[in-house]
Amino acid sequence: MGEESFAAERRRMVEELRRFGIRDERVLAAMGNVPRHLFVPEHIRHLAYEDTPLPIGHGQTISQPYIVALMTQALGLKGEEKVLELGTGSGYQAAILCELSREVFSIERVPDLAKTARRRLTELGYRRNVHIRVGDGTLGWPEEAPFDRIIVTGGLPGIPEPLWEQLAEGGALVAPVGGRYDQYLWLYSKERGRPRRQALCPCTFVPILGAHGFPTEGNRKGGLSRPFDSQDLREGDG
Ligand code: SAH
């Protein structure tokens, strides 16, 4: 497939997102700009604009376009924000965030994925406002805190305390929370230090592993950190 047909496929994807209810024109424009086919392995490029998650190696996936759009829209980016992402993966979500905010900090646990994502983002010209680090994202990026927005692109058993602490007052955090194999997508906002949350939709993400994520082989007691209990939460309108 040539660049022309990828561009046509991308336009079709954007129309589909619109039909699915994505309304933020800036988000739709960003999804129309970023060449998603360059973020997936070559042999499945022809599937890049289908509304489906795709494998990116190391047992990980690039999220389906609708979920990327929904999470990004939920963040309500205006262009001046400092954003933290957990789970760089292919770097696609990071590229979308780069289009819509001032500066993006993204953490990836698998060194090889981080390396590939960094190279891609540099080649595509996003180098100016994106920073990728290898590590356990559940600990956040304390040297760069606070963040106006935080996006978690893997499932979590609860919101890690360090992330909540690193979220700016008035900031928002979007994350899939639940079990290892299925979660619910929530939008949290910090109002006078207290959490408020709004339900988005059920979802299925690969798990975030780590100190405040799901346990790995070497860390059997992961997933225990919760900065607030559900009774502390005030439900939002949605
Ligand atoms: N946002 C990505 C999709 C990410 S899939 C994209 O646009 O392609 C989730 C990613 O989270 C995987 O790459 C996985 O390796 C990574 N991950 C899992 N646990 C992590 C942790 N504790 N810190 C950072 N990344 C983690």
Side-chain angles (χ1 to χ4, degrees), residues 88-137:
T88 314
S90 67
Y92 178 72
Q93 174 75 69
I96 298 288
L97 295 170
C98 281
E99 295 258 338
L100 298 168
S101 64
R102 179 166 52 83
E103 211 168 8
V104 178
F105 295 82
S106 184
I107 310 175
E108 171 56 52
R109 183 174 174 269
V110 180
D112 196 40
L113 289 175
K115 195 171 143 211
T116 309
R118 198 181 282 128
R119 182 175 44 72
R120 252 182 212 132
L121 291 167
T122 303
E123 280 169 12
L124 290 169
Y126 291 108
R127 189 206 205 131
R128 190 179 42 83
N129 62 342
V130 67
H131 313 273
I132 295 174
R133 165 197 267 194
V134 175
D136 180 359

Side-chain angles (χ1 to χ4, degrees), residues 50-71:
E50 299 294 315
D51 192 38
T52 177
L54 292 169
I56 55 170
H58 300 271
Q60 308 303 324
T61 55
I62 176 174
S63 309
Q64 83 187 80
Y66 174 70
I67 290 290
V68 172
L70 186 71
M71 291 175 91

Side-chain angles (χ1 to χ4, degrees), residues 189-202:
S189 49
K190 197 178 207 173
E191 295 171 14
R192 276 167 256 102
R194 296 193 21 100
R196 183 185 175 91
R197 74 174 179 178
Q198 193 180 320
L200 297 178
C201 64

